[in-house]
Amino acid sequence: MPELPEVETVRRGLQPAMEGARFAKVDVHRGDLRWPLAKDFVRRLEGKTVTGLGRRAKYLLADLSSGDVLIMHLGMSGSFHVFRPKQKTGGQAALGRYYHERAQHATHDHVAFHMSSGAIVTFNDPRRFGSMKIVPRPNLDAEPLLRGLGPEPLGNAFDAAMLARACRGKKTSLKAALIDQRVVAGLGNIYVCEALHRARLSPKRLAATIATPSGAPNERAEHLVEAIKHVLTDAIRDGGSSLRDHKLTDGGLGMFQHHFRVYDREGEPCRTEGCSGTVKRIVQNGRSTFYCPTCQK
DNA sequence: ACTACTCCCTGCCAGC
DNA sequence: TGCTGGCAGGGAGTAG
């Protein structure tokens, strides 16, 4: 589920519940996520206020009043849910309704944040590829999880010149290059496929072919950057894509999956105007790629 | 330094 | 119906 648009959607959903609120209580039901939560995880959260909730690539970053930053990643199947008790409902009653509402998913609700605002924020992750880690803010620049990340694709630093430089001389496919978080941070399997289709570039094309030998951008790089920015912007506007899990923090669904042009559309007609091609599925680096061999060159 | 592959874990679905 | 294999949005670690 979670690529940049989904994570950004989650961030916006969590913001009202968490920003400015204090962790009144933190429950860890299962600490063995991608790696075990630190022993002092709860202690470093409880009593601290969230001063800001940001995002870097697919990571959520909660700044705390203690000077720590809580880093959260959704992995493949992670989601957050915000339960907001009605104003007149007391704490115990709210808890009861929360557990009732969440009963069917309780086995995968690994962490629950009880915020001073009354909101209860749960982290649910069946596959447990998600993760949480707390580091002091000053150490963030050196944080191994974040250190090697490429630029934010919606930021000013991400342009054709930069992308061409990063792809210069790369022996791998364009698809593999774009999914590499060191080249550009936040794209995943879905949005790489969608962006390449919009740019009419084949996922099999050598990454180096979007740059001149000296590393300058060519027309392909320009188109690709435009396509990436557009597809991400469109997806965020639609609340991301919901495939197998929902992801909006109120339990609702993202809508962008209805606008996929190639992803998960094997055998269906290409959606490029004037193209009569058929979407094909291939495997690259062990993952599915969807593309139109007719209009993507 | 690169690139490709394996593995982490659970759930779901098509095919037998 | 019930089992089995394959596949899933990510990415760290490792072997070439």
Side-chain angles (χ1 to χ4, degrees):
Chain A
M1 163 193 18
E3 302 180 32
L4 188 151
E6 290 74 34
V7 178
E8 178 59 22
T9 299
V10 168
R11 189 190 71 80
R12 294 176 186 187
L14 291 179
Q15 221 167 8
M18 295 186 74
E19 259 187 17
R22 177 173 40 82
F23 290 95
K25 188 169 188 298
V26 173
D27 289 332
V28 175
H29 300 118
R30 270 200 86 151
D32 55 334
L33 303 181
R34 167 123 207 196
W35 50 77
L37 295 183
K39 291 187 186 69
D40 60 357
F41 181 79
V42 170
R43 182 181 63 72
R44 284 171 78 170
L45 293 180
E46 283 184 346
K48 314 305 186 300
T49 299
V50 177
T51 56
L53 185 62
R55 179 189 57 73
R56 172 73 173 107
K58 301 171 191 171
Y59 292 92
L60 291 167
L61 305 175
D63 268 295
L64 308 181
S65 52
S66 56
D68 280 335
V69 181
L70 170 62
I71 305 173
M72 298 173 279
H73 196 287
L74 299 170
M76 291 276 266
S77 59
S79 62
F80 281 94
H81 187 268
V82 176
F83 175 74
R84 299 177 161 285
K86 295 268 190 285
Q87 287 190 334
K88 288 182 182 171
T89 312
Q92 276 310 111
L95 259 185
R97 284 180 42 201
Y98 154 70
Y99 283 117
H100 182 260
E101 178 173 301
R102 298 294 291 170
Q104 55 195 328
H105 299 299
T107 48
H108 298 306
D109 278 350
H110 305 310
V111 180
F113 300 141
H114 300 259
M115 307 306 294
S116 59
S117 60
I120 300 169
V121 177
T122 58
F123 177 66
N124 183 282
D125 186 7
R127 292 174 75 176
R128 305 205 315 280
F129 286 175
S131 55
M132 294 192 191
K133 182 178 183 180
I134 301 173
V135 302
R137 182 84 207 181
N139 296 6
L140 210 57
D141 285 344
E143 168 54 41
L145 292 175
L146 309 177
R147 198 174 37 200
L149 292 173
E152 284 290 318
L154 293 177
N156 291 332
F158 181 66
D159 58 17
M162 178 273 140
L163 185 59
R165 219 177 306 127
C167 288
R168 174 189 180 186
K170 271 204 177 296
K171 293 278 194 286
T172 192
S173 68
L174 196 46
K175 157 83 186 294
L178 292 177
I179 222 163
D180 184 340
Q181 301 298 294
R182 295 168 300 185
V183 171
V184 53
L187 296 178
N189 210 32
I190 292 178
Y191 296 102
V192 167
C193 291
E194 292 296 315
L196 285 169
H197 181 262
R198 288 181 181 221
R200 299 199 181 193
L201 293 172
S202 169
K204 296 194 283 189
R205 169 180 285 284
L206 211 60
T209 62
I210 67 162
T212 67
S214 65
N218 58 25
E219 199 178 32
R220 298 186 194 107
E222 306 278 358
H223 288 155
L224 187 51
V225 164
E226 285 309 296
I228 289 169
K229 288 178 184 281
H230 277 130
V231 76
L232 294 178
T233 304
D234 290 353
I236 290 171
R237 189 190 307 131
D238 279 355
S241 307
S242 294
L243 269 51
R244 285 156 259 281
D245 315 288
H246 10 145
K247 149 210 55 16
L248 304 196
T249 54
D250 62 2
L253 298 175
M255 285 295 143
F256 192 71
Q257 67 277 13
H258 301 302
H259 300 296
F260 288 168
R261 297 186 189 178
V262 284
Y263 189 83
D264 211 16
R265 295 191 62 245
E266 183 182 18
E268 294 179 51
C270 175
R271 285 183 169 157
T272 294
E273 195 150 354
C275 178
S276 55
T278 301
V279 176
K280 189 177 174 188
R281 174 183 176 273
I282 59 173
V283 175
Q284 290 179 291
N285 301 86
R287 315 189 93 97
S288 287
T289 298
F290 298 89
Y291 77 113
C292 172
T294 305
C295 69
Q296 291 180 252
K297 296 300 181 189

